[in-house]
């Protein structure tokens, strides 16, 4: 069975600093991996997804994530945080050939001025 | 293009009362999902529809929860009777495809409070 673990329920960075949100997954077969963002009072929206093409995936708003099979990780990064990046971020995993997507518990990102 | 629409956005009820949530997916999206999101947790799938067929309802507590998607478009999720532990956000999502690589588009959710 697949699972996903997000390390750190809360992350705080200063504006302009590097953003690093950690995600590790467990999967017996090649996975699809996603990062979604949820702004207050809004639904989740896709930031980026990995589907076995390039291991470095670029998403919207300057975010990117790197698939590392040896580390079973899919960490989300952004070189320079902006106040508007403050939100909750969810990592998700689903299996090739399967039908269910499993979401992590989420990491709330705080950006300090 | 309109996104996924959910109503109501907020609902407060007494325990043992019934409650219903409505979802209208993005036009043309044949797959519809209902998720439960507890505070501090990620979404957990309750039921997935492909068109009007419920293809995965293994996590739906069938003693009190029911769902329908008549005509394969909008959907209703019902709880009867509600319990205190049902307080959560109920999310609806839709996708164009049926596979797990499909991107899901989420509505804003319905926040249920059971008193």
């Amino acid at each position: 069975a697949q699972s996903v673990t997000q390390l750190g329920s809360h992350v705080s960075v200063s504006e302009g600093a590097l953003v690093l949100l950690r995600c590790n997954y467990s999967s017996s077969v090649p996975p699809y991996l996603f990062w979604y963002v949820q702004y207050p009072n809004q639904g989740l929206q896709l930031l980026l997804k990995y589907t076995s093409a390039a291991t470095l995936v670029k998403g919207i708003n300057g975010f990117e994530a790197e698939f590392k099979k040896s580390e079973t990780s899919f960490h989300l990064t952004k070189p320079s945080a902006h106040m508007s990046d403050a939100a909750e971020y969810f990592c998700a995993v689903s299996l090739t050939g399967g039908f269910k997507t499993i979401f992590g518990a989420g990491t709330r990102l705080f950006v300090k001025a | 293009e309109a996104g996924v629409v959910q109503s109501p956005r907020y609902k407060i009820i007494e325990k043992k009362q019934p409650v219903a949530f409505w979802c209208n997916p993005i036009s043309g999206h044949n797959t519809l999902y209902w998720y439960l999101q507890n505070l501090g947790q990620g979404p957990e799938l309750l039921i997935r529809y492909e068109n009007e067929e419920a293809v995965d309802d293994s996590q739906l507590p069938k003693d009190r929860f029911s769902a329908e998607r008549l005509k394969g478009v909008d959907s209703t999720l019902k709880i009867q009777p509600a319990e205190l532990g049902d307080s959560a956000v109920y999310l609806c999502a839709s996708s164009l495809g049926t596979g797990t690589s499909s991107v899901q588009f989420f509505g804003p959710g319905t926040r249920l409070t059971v008193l």
Side-chain angles (χ1 to χ4, degrees), chain A residues 2-29:
Chain A
Q2 75 266 36
S3 65
V4 59
T5 302
Q6 292 186 241
L7 300 176
S9 59
H10 298 85
V11 170
S12 182
V13 301
S14 297
E15 192 173 22
L18 171 71
V19 176
L20 171 60
L21 304 182
R22 300 178 186 274
C23 173
N24 287 89
Y25 69 91
S26 172
S27 172
S28 57
V29 297

Side-chain angles (χ1 to χ4, degrees), chain B residues 3 5-6 8-9 21 23 26 31 36-37 41-42 56-57 61 63-64 75 78 82 95-96 107:
Chain B
V5 179
Q6 290 188 248
R9 292 292 313 277
F21 315 124
C23 172
I26 292 173
T31 305
L36 167 70
Q37 186 177 21
Q41 299 295 317
D56 184 356
D57 63 356
D63 57 335
R64 297 185 300 106
S75 175
K78 298 178 181 178
S95 66
L96 187 59

Side-chain angles (χ1 to χ4, degrees), chain B residues 38-61:
Chain B
N38 286 305
L39 188 64
Q41 299 295 317
E44 299 174 31
L45 182 69
L46 288 173
I47 189 168
R48 178 172 66 92
Y49 282 93
E50 290 181 14
N51 299 306
E52 65 274 13
E53 182 182 0
V55 294
D56 184 356
D57 63 356
S58 58
Q59 300 305 308
L60 189 72

Side-chain angles (χ1 to χ4, degrees), chain A residues 6-110:
Chain A
Q6 292 186 241
L7 300 176
S9 59
H10 298 85
V11 170
S12 182
V13 301
S14 297
E15 192 173 22
L18 171 71
V19 176
L20 171 60
L21 304 182
R22 300 178 186 274
C23 173
N24 287 89
Y25 69 91
S26 172
S27 172
S28 57
V29 297
Y32 297 122
L33 295 159
F34 306 80
W35 276 99
Y36 285 84
V37 60
Q38 186 176 30
Y39 298 102
N41 297 316
Q42 295 185 29
L44 282 73
Q45 57 184 277
L46 182 74
L47 272 179
L48 50 81
K49 73 173 185 179
Y50 166 77
T51 57
S52 78
T55 56
L56 182 62
V57 183
K58 295 186 182 299
I60 62 171
N61 300 337
F63 284 93
E64 62 182 37
E66 185 172 9
F67 172 69
K68 291 187 176 180
K69 183 178 179 181
S70 61
E71 298 177 9
T72 60
S73 68
F74 191 57
H75 301 331
L76 182 70
T77 61
K78 182 174 180 178
S80 176
H82 191 272
M83 297 296 288
S84 61
D85 294 326
E88 184 125 30
Y89 292 79
F90 293 93
C91 182
V93 61
S94 59
L95 300 182
T96 54
F99 295 96
K100 185 172 289 186
T101 301
I102 304 297
F103 289 83
T107 297
R108 183 166 295 279
L109 176 66
F110 297 92

Side-chain angles (χ1 to χ4, degrees), chain B residues 13-112:
Chain B
I13 60 171
E14 301 275 339
K15 64 180 180 182
K16 300 184 182 180
Q17 294 299 306
V19 64
F21 315 124
W22 177 80
C23 172
N24 193 339
I26 292 173
S27 178
H29 282 194
N30 57 336
T31 305
L32 183 145
Y33 314 75
W34 281 104
Y35 287 92
L36 167 70
Q37 186 177 21
N38 286 305
L39 188 64
Q41 299 295 317
E44 299 174 31
L45 182 69
L46 288 173
I47 189 168
R48 178 172 66 92
Y49 282 93
E50 290 181 14
N51 299 306
E52 65 274 13
E53 182 182 0
V55 294
D56 184 356
D57 63 356
S58 58
Q59 300 305 308
L60 189 72
K62 298 181 184 64
D63 57 335
R64 297 185 300 106
F65 286 65
S66 64
E68 61 182 12
R69 191 185 184 196
L70 300 176
K71 300 181 182 179
V73 182
D74 56 350
S75 175
T76 302
L77 178 69
K78 298 178 181 178
I79 308 175
Q80 183 170 10
E83 297 179 351
L84 294 177
D86 296 332
S87 295
V89 176
Y90 292 82
L91 297 169
C92 179
S94 68
S95 66
L96 187 59
T98 58
T100 48
S101 65
S102 299
V103 175
Q104 297 180 38
F105 294 81
F106 285 80
T110 296
R111 183 176 297 277
L112 173 67

